Amino acid sequence: MIDGIWWLVILLSVVVALWLLAKSRGAKVAAQQKGGADKKLPSNDALQKTSLLIKKHLPDYRVTRKTNHLLVTKQGKKIVMITIDKQLAAGQRLLDDVAVINYHRVPSRELIAVSLENAK
């Protein structure tokens, strides 16, 4: 009878140890996922330069920086989403009512102005 109880105690202690191990690893994973949202946006110099170009030369437009694109609004209305990606084809397409423009490098001020006027 004592041997049966000891096996039960050992089995319960193993289950508790595994549960504590799983709980501690789960806390680490949750902390890493929460910490990922607080990190800075990845550095994309082309998007940063384009954002500064729009803010400097086209003050009527408001630029919101996202991870992989810029969202350009005018008077609260979304006008254009600008991406800079060499793997995608350069050009313009529509996503709902918003034009999505992809460039391969930082566009000139004139090109941005024309693109924003055409996107309206």
Side-chain angles (χ1 to χ4, degrees):
M1 188 72 168
I2 293 176
D3 289 336
I5 292 175
W6 281 109
W7 281 108
L8 182 62
V9 169
I10 291 171
L11 181 65
L12 287 176
S13 63
V14 168
V15 168
V16 168
L18 289 174
W19 179 75
L20 288 173
L21 181 66
K23 185 171 174 84
S24 69
R25 287 192 180 203
K28 289 179 187 176
V29 170
Q32 288 175 351
Q33 288 175 348
K34 285 183 182 176
D38 295 337
K39 293 182 181 177
K40 283 179 51 177
L41 294 172
S43 176
N44 187 340
D45 292 335
L47 279 178
Q48 186 66 27
K49 289 178 184 177
T50 305
S51 174
L52 291 175
L53 193 67
I54 294 171
K55 287 178 183 177
K56 183 177 180 182
H57 297 288
L58 302 166
D60 295 340
Y61 296 95
R62 182 169 174 243
V63 180
T64 305
R65 171 79 189 266
K66 301 294 182 179
T67 306
N68 294 322
H69 63 273
L70 298 173
L71 187 60
V72 182
T73 58
K74 184 174 184 178
Q75 298 173 351
K77 182 181 177 191
K78 296 177 185 175
I79 304 292
V80 173
M81 184 179 358
I82 297 176
T83 61
I84 298 180
D85 191 351
K86 293 181 181 180
Q87 296 175 350
L88 296 175
Q92 183 173 346
R93 61 186 170 91
L94 285 176
L95 182 65
D96 267 342
D97 295 334
V98 179
V100 179
I101 303 174
N102 185 57
Y103 298 110
H104 286 180
R105 60 177 188 265
V106 178
S108 66
R109 176 181 59 184
E110 293 82 16
L111 183 60
I112 291 175
V114 169
S115 297
L116 291 176
E117 287 299 319
N118 290 340
K120 287 182 187 179

